[in-house]
Amino acid sequence: MSKFNILVLNGHNLNLLGKREPNIYGHLTLEHINTILNQEASNLNVTLSCLQSNHEGVLVDYIHQALNHHQGILINAGAYTHTSIAIRDALSAVAIPVVEVHLSNIYKREDFRHHSYIAAIALGQISGFGVESYRLGLQALVNHLQQELIR
Ligand code: DQA
């Protein structure tokens, strides 16, 4: 069976995890989250490329570069979730299956966090489970890719 290579993309301010509002986002650093995800990836027999940027255009470039390299994208776009048509359009343009994740439950928070530009073009969204949102999102994405293979 072919080995999937998944792009894990984090948007701005997520490099500050661990220090940033730990009452909302928890105490794990992004590095620690990526370590946990890499363990899950090896259980699932897939490989990950984990990237983060605080710049919208850089995230768009990373999404473009995923073409022909990655079979799935797991994304926490941070606040760009609620603002970025450019990131949504990039995800639509490459047409790589995407799962959206959030550490916090965005629907329990301020109204401006209730709308995601990404959700409508994603396979699905997982929000509110801290690092488990990422792990569950990765499982769901890999499961989807495997189902597509045998179809
Ligand atoms: C977040 C939720 C967003 O509303 C916020 O801007 C973030 C993090 C989350 O993971 O809970 O930066 O995406």
Side-chain angles (χ1 to χ4, degrees), residues 12 14 20 25 76 78-79 81-82 102-104 106 109 113:
H12 53 13
L14 293 164
R20 175 190 182 201
Y25 299 116
N76 182 353
T81 304
H82 319 298
H102 299 283
L103 293 152
S104 63
I106 56 176
R109 301 182 63 197
R113 295 185 204 278

Side-chain angles (χ1 to χ4, degrees), residues 5-9 49-53 56-73 90-91 93-96:
N5 190 11
I6 309 293
L7 175 63
V8 178
L9 212 47
S49 307
C50 299
L51 299 174
Q52 186 274 335
S53 176
E56 189 177 32
V58 174
L59 291 165
V60 167
D61 285 342
Y62 287 157
I63 292 166
H64 292 175
Q65 286 159 16
L67 259 185
N68 304 322
H69 295 289
H70 296 95
Q71 292 71 49
I73 299 177
L91 291 167
V94 296
I96 296 171

Side-chain angles (χ1 to χ4, degrees), residues 10-30:
N10 280 281
H12 53 13
N13 298 313
L14 293 164
N15 55 312
L16 292 183
L17 287 177
K19 294 190 191 88
R20 175 190 182 201
E21 299 179 276
N23 54 320
I24 298 174
Y25 299 116
H27 292 277
L28 294 184
T29 62
L30 186 57

